[in-house]
């Protein structure tokens, strides 16, 4: 395949994602209008809060870091023919593991490794159930998400609680925190780590034998098997690598987000990244480089939501509505062709 | 454990059974026809919100349940259009629906009632219980209705020509098509029935059982219903039994949380994981015996 063909292969998916985003924004505007808010005011503050100042951009990038990582979890699953939606629970465990380990080893590398390791371990039961018992991963990973929620809640409330602050766990000790990239913002090394992880996953998936085996298993499991690829091995690797990135996401949140550097009550500050990551992956077309862009977009929505709530008085959950519509639009098969046909008919 | 505790646990389990049973029965019908939908969590959220809104406007809980069914139908039509007619992926729209439901309810509570995260449904908009004792233990009319729906669904699915066709389009759409069965119409109808049942389940949460709308009102029940569907081997009657089991564990956790002696011995969070752990064990154990319909989740395109 020459470069021109390769580029052409990228144009359509990118165009479809952009169209899905526009549809999300448009229907979102209608919902706002029907609910009695000004869509213009809401979107003005959404953009102003996320993209027009150094602080806003820093906040956008900071929010995007865990999203990029959890999106990779889903994307690797999708590329290998699996719907792994277990990133959510893995994030809780990654965050908790980083807190626990850094209490003893006060070093950022130890915290990150703890997140990676617990992510890989927590992914194994779902992988084993899938490969050896045929349990569908949508069911098992959702069940494991809830189990993780309750176990980590218990650890947070009853074991590693902060005696000085009943609303959070023990914080990451200062020497194990990830350095900030921009002073007085939340943008830390966690962002750099997320980008590096995306690039590494890109290299692994498209330029190594393991990646080739994983992708072939996803595209055509039977052909993969004839070609000497063990689909069970591929499925287990897919879960384990996905678990590692989600675990890293959790560790990055607590190690790189001031001021608390801890898990807050009800797991509030680590909740939702796994589910949002699915949307990021779908808009990024399950490609690590696409995910970097869609991760930053979703990060901007999340960062701008606060300003939108403060100044336009629109509840920040509006963002989730827009994200949901974007995903449903992404799911419309041949969206761009459908639109082109409508447009042509309308124009003629 | 004395008699009144047993009654309270039993009634509590029945109340918790209803939403999971209704959603699972719907999911069984939809998947028997070959359409996977993992968006029930989102449908539960939407119908809990709109069900309460309709019930309050009408001053009648039953209107709320009907409104919930209509909202369910609407999303079923969307899912059916994307999957059955446009031959799209079955899982992705469900993911979108769940995210949309989560956001829309939290947004709606603030936008419509002006409160953050929670809204109490007034008594006149709730369903009155069939029976109630002095301790506040109640039996909702939705319990016998749900049992009846399970029996009817089983009967229709396995004893009527309509049910045979539903199963045929999920098992072997090519053969069904050759026999002149409109595959797309039967699939679409099954999706509509399923999402209407989930809609009733969602409205039941807000206008009957819980009497409130909260921003996380579905609390994973849409997904538990899917697990329960697998557990049931795609059979509405077994799904009813499975839903009762979930209801029981759900209540046991609340019971332990409220019992000072037990709460000091076992962390309640461990009990709360039980329904999910049991699901995994059961699903892992029965797989191999139960298998999904052959064309479950696969779009059918006429050659």
């Amino acid at each position: 395949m020459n470069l021109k063909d390769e580029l052409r292969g990228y144009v359509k998916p990118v165009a479809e994602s952009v169209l899905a985003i526009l549809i999300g924004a448009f229907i979102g505007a209608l919902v706002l209008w029907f609910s009695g808010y000004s869509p213009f005011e809401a979107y003005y503050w959404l953009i102003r809060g996320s993209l027009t100042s150094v602080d806003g951009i820093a906040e956008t990038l900071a929010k995007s870091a865990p999203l990029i990582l959890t999106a990779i979890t889903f994307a690797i699953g999708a590329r290998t023919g699996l719907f792994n939606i277990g990133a959510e629970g893995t994030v809780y465990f990654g965050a908790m593991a980083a807190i626990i380990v850094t209490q003893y080893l006060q070093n950022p590398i130890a915290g990150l490794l703890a997140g990676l390791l617990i992510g890989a371990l927590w992914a194994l039961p779902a992988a084993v159930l899938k490969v050896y018992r045929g349990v569908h991963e949508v069911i098992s990973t959702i069940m494991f998400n809830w189990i993780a929620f309750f176990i980590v809640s218990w650890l947070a409330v009853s074991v590693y609680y902060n005696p000085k602050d009943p609303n959070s766990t023990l914080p990451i000790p200062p020497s194990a925190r990830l350095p900030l990239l921009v002073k007085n913002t939340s943008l830390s090394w966690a962002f750099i780590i997320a980008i590096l992880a995306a690039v590494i996953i890109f290299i692994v998936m498209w330029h190594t034998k393991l990646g080739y085996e994983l992708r072939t298993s996803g595209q055509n499991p039977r052909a993969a098997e004839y070609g000497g690829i063990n689909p069970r091995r591929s499925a287990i690797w897919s879960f384990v690598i996905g678990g590692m990135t989600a675990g890293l996401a959790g560790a990055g949140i607590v190690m790189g987000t001031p001021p608390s550097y801890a898990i807050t009550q009800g797991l509030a500050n680590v909740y939702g990244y796994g589910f949002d990551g699915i949307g990021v992956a779908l808009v990024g077309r399950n490609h690590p480089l696409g995910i970097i862009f869609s991760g930053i977009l979703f990060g901007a929505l999340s960062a701008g939501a606060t300003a939108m709530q403060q100044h336009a008085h629109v509840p920040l959950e509006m963002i989730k509505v827009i994200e949901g519509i974007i995903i449903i639009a992404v799911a419309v098969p041949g969206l761009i062709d459908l639109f082109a046909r409508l447009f042509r008919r309308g124009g003629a | 454990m004395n008699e009144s505790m047993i009654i309270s646990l039993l009634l509590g389990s029945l109340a918790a059974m209803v939403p999971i049973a209704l959603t699972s029965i719907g999911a069984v019908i939809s998947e028997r026809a070959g359409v996977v939908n993992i968006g029930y969590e989102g449908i539960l959220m939407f119908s809990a919100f709109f069900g309460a809104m309709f019930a309050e406007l009408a001053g009648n809980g039953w209107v709320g349940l009907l409104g919930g069914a209509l909202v369910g139908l609407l999303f079923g039509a969307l899912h059916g259009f994307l999957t059955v007619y446009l031959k799209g992926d079955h899982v992705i729209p469900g993911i979108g629906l769940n995210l949309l439901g989560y956001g829309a309810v939290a947004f709606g509570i603030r936008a419509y009632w002006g409160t953050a995260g929670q809204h109490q449904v007034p008594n006149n908009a709730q369903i009155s219980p069939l029976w109630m004792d002095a301790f506040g233990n109640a039996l909702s009319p939705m319990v016998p209705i749900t049992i009846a729906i399970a029996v009817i669904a089983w009967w229709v699915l396995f004893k009527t020509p309509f049910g045979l066709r539903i199963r045929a389009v999920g098992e072997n759409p090519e053969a069904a098509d050759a026999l002149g069965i409109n595959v797309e119409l039967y699939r679409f109808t099954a999706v509509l029935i399923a999402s209407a049942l989930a809609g009733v389940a969602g409205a039941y949460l807000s206008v009957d059982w819980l009497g409130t709308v909260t921003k996380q009102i579905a609390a994973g029940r849409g997904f538990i219903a899917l697990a329960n569907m697998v557990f049931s081997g795609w059979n509405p009657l077994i799904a009813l039994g499975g839903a009762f089991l979930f209801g029981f564990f759900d209540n046991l956790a609340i019971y332990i949380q409220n019992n000072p002696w037990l709460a000091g011995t076992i962390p309640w969070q461990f009990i709360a994981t039980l329904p999910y752990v049991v699901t995994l064990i059961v699903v892992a154990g029965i797989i191999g015996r139960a298998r999904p319909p052959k064309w479950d989740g696969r779009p059918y395109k006429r050659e």
Side-chain angles (χ1 to χ4, degrees), chain B residues 29-43:
Chain B
I29 295 170
S30 168
E31 291 212 357
R32 280 282 180 181
V35 182
V36 170
N37 181 359
I38 66 161
Y40 294 116
E41 184 83 358
I43 296 178

Side-chain angles (χ1 to χ4, degrees), chain A residues 59-71:
Chain A
E59 197 60 32
T60 293
L61 298 181
K63 292 270 188 204
S64 74
L67 293 174
I68 290 169
L69 290 167
T70 54

Side-chain angles (χ1 to χ4, degrees), chain A residues 15 56 102 108 125 152 157 178-179 210 214 222 226 230 234 238 240 254 262 285 291 303 341:
Chain A
T102 55
V152 174
V157 174
L178 295 170
L210 176 69
L214 290 175
R222 207 166 292 171
Y226 282 131
N230 181 348
S234 299
S238 165
V240 167
V254 288
R285 302 282 154 169
I291 283 170
R341 231 183 303 150

Side-chain angles (χ1 to χ4, degrees), chain B:
Chain B
M1 205 180 226
N2 60 37
E3 199 183 321
S4 84
M5 278 179 191
I6 294 170
I7 290 176
S8 125
L9 202 57
L10 177 73
L11 287 173
S13 306
L14 285 171
M17 170 191 80
V18 170
I20 295 168
L22 289 174
T23 311
S24 313
I25 293 164
V28 166
I29 295 170
S30 168
E31 291 212 357
R32 280 282 180 181
V35 182
V36 170
N37 181 359
I38 66 161
Y40 294 116
E41 184 83 358
I43 296 178
L44 290 176
M45 303 287 289
F46 270 108
S47 48
F49 172 74
F50 282 106
M53 188 196 262
F54 288 139
E56 286 179 29
L57 289 173
N60 184 329
W62 294 99
V63 175
L65 290 181
L66 197 71
L70 285 176
V71 170
L73 273 180
L74 210 70
F75 287 106
L78 176 67
H79 187 75
F81 177 66
L82 291 178
T83 56
V84 177
Y85 288 103
L86 292 184
K87 321 288 179 195
D89 187 281
H90 288 204
V91 177
I92 297 170
I95 293 171
L97 207 50
N98 290 334
L99 201 60
L100 186 60
Y102 169 72
V105 168
F107 172 78
I109 293 172
R110 277 203 227 212
Y112 188 68
W113 287 298
T115 57
Q118 199 254 352
H119 167 75
Q120 192 73 30
V121 177
N123 277 333
N124 76 328
Q126 292 189 29
I127 305 265
S128 347
L130 272 184
W131 174 87
M132 198 155 138
D133 71 7
F135 308 101
N137 294 316
L139 180 71
S140 159
M142 281 310 288
V143 171
I145 290 174
T146 299
I147 296 171
I149 287 175
V151 174
I152 293 167
W154 177 84
W155 183 77
V156 169
L157 214 44
F158 295 107
K159 302 286 168 194
T160 67
F162 177 76
L164 182 67
R165 286 183 202 132
I166 293 257
R167 287 183 292 132
V169 301
E171 200 65 50
N172 194 341
E174 281 155 338
D177 198 2
L179 289 172
I181 295 171
N182 186 336
V183 175
E184 287 167 341
L185 184 68
Y186 274 89
R187 285 193 158 186
F188 192 69
T189 309
V191 176
L192 288 185
I193 297 171
S195 35
L197 283 174
V200 174
Y204 163 86
L205 293 175
S206 59
V207 303
D208 189 346
W209 183 28
L210 305 173
T212 165
V213 190
T214 62
K215 65 180 190 179
Q216 296 212 39
I217 189 161
R221 290 188 183 87
F223 290 109
I224 292 178
L226 285 175
N228 182 45
M229 169 197 73
V230 177
F231 163 74
S232 78
W234 289 266
N235 179 326
L237 282 182
I238 301 176
L240 182 73
F244 180 79
L245 214 71
F246 276 108
F248 175 77
F249 282 115
D250 218 3
N251 263 265
L252 200 62
I254 299 166
Y255 173 76
I256 288 175
Q257 218 177 327
N258 293 334
N259 182 311
W261 181 78
L262 279 174
T265 324
I266 333 168
W268 69 267
Q269 291 96 338
F270 287 8
I271 307 300
T273 64
L274 269 180
Y276 311 104
V277 174
V278 170
T279 307
L280 284 170
I281 294 170
V282 170
V283 171
I286 56 143
I287 252 130
R289 277 199 291 123
R291 57 164 196 87
K294 239 193 200 123
W295 278 70
D296 204 9
R298 290 163 68 184
Y300 173 66
K301 274 184 205 152
R302 190 180 258 191
E303 295 297 313

